[in-house]
Amino acid sequence: MDGILAIHKEVGMTSHDVVFKLRKILKTKKVGHTGTLDPEVSGVLPICIGKATRVSDYVMESGKKYKAEVTIGFSTTTEDQTGELVEQKIVNEHTWSTENIRSTLNKLVGEIEQIPPMYSAVKVNGKKLYEYARQNIEVERPVRKVFINSIELTSEISYVDQICKFEIEVECGKGTYIRTLATQVGELLGFPAHMSHLIRLKSGGFSLDQAVKLDDLREIVEQDKLQNVLLPLEYGLNGLEKITINDEDIVKRIQNGQKIEKHLIDEHKHDGIFVVWYEEKAIAIMDTYEKNSALYKPKKVFL
């Protein structure tokens, strides 16, 4: 039982809850998620099973897409709808036009800096930030650079009870906090803000319409149809460059962990990591050998 499942995590469950339940459903211990989703967030959560756990890091590196609701008018301790009120500022009806909001969102496209929320799992001095937060201890948080591919305004701008709400879709790289992004939108507009709802639409090359809920998966397993939804390990490597080789001797050398002269595999001799394929199967992830730039070395081999 090796492959990747796209699970539709529902609100109220942690990512660890999903892994725990999957181990029971699939009757296997080798199950790992590819990055957490907060309990109040629903959406696609790729899960690696068996040998596919070896590619979980590469699945995590793939881009993500979210649908979020931004609320302008007050901020919270957690930067989302679950936190306590921190600051409030009345928003007057029609304070901003649609173009005002769009131009503000465009300012956050590209590489930006974020400070992780105090209620997050980022570690400072070996301790998770949310552990400090629960003890009311404020610590200096590391500034991180993240990449925002796009932000689209996907709803009307509504004004209710002296607050403003609208929905956005965000495509972004690893490590982006959408709730922090919502507060940054507010900062650019000069108002306190938070993220009031979030769904993850894509992750690791999987979209929400491919994802299976746990209750449905139980039925699929009972009907012995798991292979209909379990995708091969190779699917988790779609974000890496692919080079196909046909030389069986080179394949054997790679599978034995040997270093290979670059010109035997890749005429362009590039320096990034890539996947070597043979007979429509991924056999290894390769990288430049740090002691000799004319050689590639296998980082991971899939026998």
Side-chain angles (χ1 to χ4, degrees):
M1 191 183 296
D2 305 304
I4 303 173
L5 283 172
I7 296 297
H8 183 162
K9 188 192 85 64
E10 298 179 80
V11 172
M13 299 179 67
T14 67
S15 301
H16 294 295
D17 290 337
V18 173
V19 169
F20 179 77
K21 290 176 183 293
L22 274 175
R23 284 175 177 155
K24 287 191 169 184
I25 294 169
L26 302 176
K27 296 181 173 62
T28 182
K29 290 184 178 179
K30 209 163 185 183
V31 177
H33 63 69
T34 57
T36 59
L37 268 183
D38 292 339
E40 66 278 0
V41 178
S42 65
V44 60
L45 180 66
I47 301 285
C48 295
I49 315 293
K51 292 177 184 177
T53 54
R54 300 185 64 204
V55 304
S56 60
D57 288 348
Y58 301 99
V59 179
M60 289 172 67
E61 290 291 337
S62 297
K64 297 173 175 62
K65 184 175 182 179
Y66 297 90
K67 181 178 181 179
E69 182 183 67
V70 179
T71 294
I72 312 289
F74 68 96
S75 57
T76 71
T77 51
T78 57
E79 300 184 354
D80 65 13
Q81 75 277 19
T82 66
E84 298 175 4
L85 179 69
V86 173
E87 182 187 358
Q88 192 166 13
K89 185 177 178 181
I90 292 173
V91 178
N92 295 317
E93 190 170 359
H94 307 305
T95 302
W96 305 286
S97 68
T98 300
E99 286 310 309
N100 289 151
I101 298 295
R102 284 204 176 105
S103 63
T104 299
L105 296 176
N106 286 337
K107 292 176 184 176
L108 291 165
V109 173
E111 186 177 73
I112 63 170
E113 292 185 342
Q114 287 193 327
I115 298 175
M118 276 302 299
Y119 283 89
S120 68
V122 173
K123 285 188 176 181
V124 172
N125 299 324
K127 193 173 179 180
K128 292 177 180 176
L129 283 174
Y130 66 74
E131 295 175 314
Y132 290 110
R134 288 169 182 170
Q135 297 171 1
N136 293 319
I137 300 172
E138 187 80 22
V139 296
E140 187 173 347
R141 290 165 281 167
V143 176
R144 295 156 53 144
K145 289 184 178 180
V146 299
F147 196 85
I148 309 297
N149 300 79
S150 66
I151 310 178
E152 299 287 338
L153 178 67
T154 57
S155 75
E156 298 292 325
I157 302 167
S158 67
Y159 294 87
V160 180
D161 298 330
Q162 298 178 325
I163 61 173
C164 169
K165 289 179 181 280
F166 52 86
E167 290 182 351
I168 58 174
E169 286 190 5
V170 181
E171 291 197 42
C172 57
K174 179 184 176 184
T176 305
Y177 280 95
I178 305 300
R179 47 194 163 123
T180 300
L181 190 67
T183 68
Q184 291 174 293
V185 173
E187 286 168 7
L188 289 174
L189 293 170
F191 280 76
H194 69 281
M195 180 194 78
S196 43
H197 189 251
L198 183 66
I199 300 173
R200 187 152 74 186
L201 302 176
K202 289 184 180 179
S203 179
F206 296 90
S207 59
L208 191 57
D209 58 6
Q210 292 175 281
V212 181
K213 293 183 178 180
L214 286 179
D215 287 342
D216 295 332
L217 185 67
R218 285 191 185 91
E219 289 186 22
I220 290 169
V221 171
E222 287 170 5
Q223 295 168 9
D224 199 23
K225 294 181 179 179
L226 181 62
Q227 294 307 315
N228 291 349
V229 294
L230 184 67
L231 289 167
L233 168 153
E234 284 84 357
Y235 202 94
L237 301 173
N238 281 343
L240 298 180
E241 185 172 348
K242 170 183 173 180
I243 294 178
T244 300
I245 60 175
N246 300 306
D247 191 316
E248 192 173 338
D249 290 334
I250 294 177
V251 171
K252 287 178 180 177
R253 287 177 61 191
I254 291 172
Q255 290 180 325
N256 289 329
Q258 296 178 27
K259 298 166 189 70
I260 309 292
E261 296 83 356
K262 282 189 172 182
H263 68 87
L264 295 178
I265 295 179
D266 175 22
E267 61 182 21
H268 301 296
K269 303 175 187 175
H270 67 284
D271 292 325
I273 64 172
F274 61 92
V275 186
V276 170
W277 285 61
Y278 176 70
E279 294 184 344
E280 299 185 355
K281 288 285 185 182
I283 64 164
I285 296 171
M286 306 291 285
D287 197 1
T288 298
Y289 183 40
E290 63 273 9
K291 294 181 180 179
N292 186 344
S293 62
L295 300 175
Y296 288 130
K297 67 171 183 179
K299 282 175 68 74
K300 289 189 178 182
V301 176
F302 312 114
L303 298 176

